[in-house]
Amino acid sequence: EERKMSKYLLRDIHFQQYGNPIIPINFWRAAPLTPNGEKTVYEAREAIKAILDGKDPRKIAVIGPCSVSDEKAVKELALQVQPLVVKYSDKFVVIFRQCYEKPRTRKTRKTWRGFIVDPNLKGQVNYHEGYTRARELLVYTTDLGLPVATEFVDKSTPQIIDDAISWAWIGARSVEHQEHRGLVSGLSMPTGIKNSTSGNVMKAIDAIVTAREPDEFQALHPFGLTCPTPTKGNPYVHLVLRGGEETGPNYSEEQVKEAQRLLLKEGLRPNVLVDCSHDNTRNIGNGKKKEYERQLIVGEEVVRQIRDGNQHLIGLMMEIHLKGNKAELPDNFLQADFDPTILPFGQSITDPCLPLEDAVKFLDEAYRSIRI
């Protein structure tokens, strides 16, 4: 009615329509964590905090698919990763990577923004279904005794799923955003901050300094409205090195030590975790082309540095799935007539991943070589 009274149309000019409000408490009630799931989340968070505090000599191993696209495949992968939590528990805290949101530099016809946004892979936004199915998968995974890691892209998402997350990270495209820095200052779990897409490490360190301090941002209230929310600051924020488009890989001993020097200069603990994927897989000898198999080379170098005494090199992250590489997407991907069941089972549809068997072999060798 207010809009009709005005001579000019001044608001919502490019909106099609408003969707149904997102009310976090409804999702919590519909898919609550099991008692074992709550225990899994809590104990993994505490273990990671102890590692960051230098009280636990173990290392963090974050492994899992680039993105969640098929619940059945992720459940099968989870069943095979879960035993590793126990098998390597005296040297590694194994965390299962489950990414439900995909940050995008550009939007094209085949750009998929992740399971929460478009859970049916048909180019049709459905946050309500995406959040519901994401929580159901998280409930299943944590009840297995498998702690979960994820990237937070939309600042509303933590209010829906953060009770199920043991470790989180803010990606290279979000690291300079003030709203994400404010978000991290209020997150309930230890959180990694990746260097920027260019490879700039100081952008991430600036974000770490900011996120450790009390802040205030527009958070999603449990009953659905956004409201100014003061935060306490997150003392368990740390650096993740993922390489850069301009700098290339940044996991070498010299680069890791330089990053740690910069952290110490800011009065921060020199904790660094290496993302073995993304720009750290660029092959300098092959036109800087990204090669997903190089995750193993990166991982072996990280393990060597740990074995040689870098105590504050706290772990690594790898993108893995049941099958290696990534699926070829048909021309009608993200269109209403697309049938997701035609995609290869257990293979990534975003970044190419290592096959599970290669990742298990790597972890087994790393477990035997590291002394704690």
Side-chain angles (χ1 to χ4, degrees), residues 33-50:
L33 295 183
T34 66
N36 191 54
E38 291 179 343
K39 180 173 180 286
T40 297
V41 175
Y42 176 78
E43 290 184 349
R45 286 182 183 180
E46 292 303 301
I48 295 168
K49 289 178 185 177

Side-chain angles (χ1 to χ4, degrees), residues 24-87:
I25 197 169
N26 289 345
F27 296 98
W28 306 343
R29 289 170 173 169
L33 295 183
T34 66
N36 191 54
E38 291 179 343
K39 180 173 180 286
T40 297
V41 175
Y42 176 78
E43 290 184 349
R45 286 182 183 180
E46 292 303 301
I48 295 168
K49 289 178 185 177
I51 291 170
L52 292 167
D53 284 335
K55 298 176 181 178
D56 187 332
R58 292 182 295 171
K59 302 301 175 183
I60 302 165
V62 183
I63 58 173
C66 173
S67 59
V68 171
S69 59
D70 177 354
E71 295 109 314
K72 288 182 66 177
V74 174
K75 285 182 177 180
E76 183 170 322
L77 182 61
L79 286 171
Q80 297 192 50
V81 170
Q82 192 279 329
L84 306 181
V85 174
V86 178
K87 182 178 181 180

Side-chain angles (χ1 to χ4, degrees), residues 9 49 66 94 119 138 188 200 228 294 301:
L9 181 60
K49 289 178 185 177
C66 173
V94 176
L138 287 164
S188 301
N200 189 307
R294 291 183 66 84
E301 172 58 16

Side-chain angles (χ1 to χ4, degrees), residues 2 18 26 29 41 85-86 93 98 153 157 170-171 220 223 256 261 263 285 291 300 309 314 325 332 340 367 372:
E2 184 180 342
Y18 285 102
N26 289 345
R29 289 170 173 169
V41 175
V85 174
V86 178
V93 176
Q98 284 187 6
V153 179
T157 297
I170 298 299
L220 187 62
F223 291 101
V256 170
R261 185 190 69 79
L263 288 164
E291 300 171 348
E300 288 166 1
I314 59 171
N325 210 335
N332 69 334
Y367 176 81
I372 289 181

Side-chain angles (χ1 to χ4, degrees), residues 33 85 93 114 145 180 245 327 329 352 355 370:
L33 295 183
V85 174
V93 176
H180 281 89
E245 294 172 354
L329 302 176
I370 290 176

Side-chain angles (χ1 to χ4, degrees), residues 339-359:
D339 177 11
T341 63
I342 69 170
L343 294 171
F345 183 78
Q347 191 170 42
S348 175
I349 65 168
T350 46
D351 288 348
C353 294
L354 287 172
L356 173 64
E357 57 188 306
D358 287 359

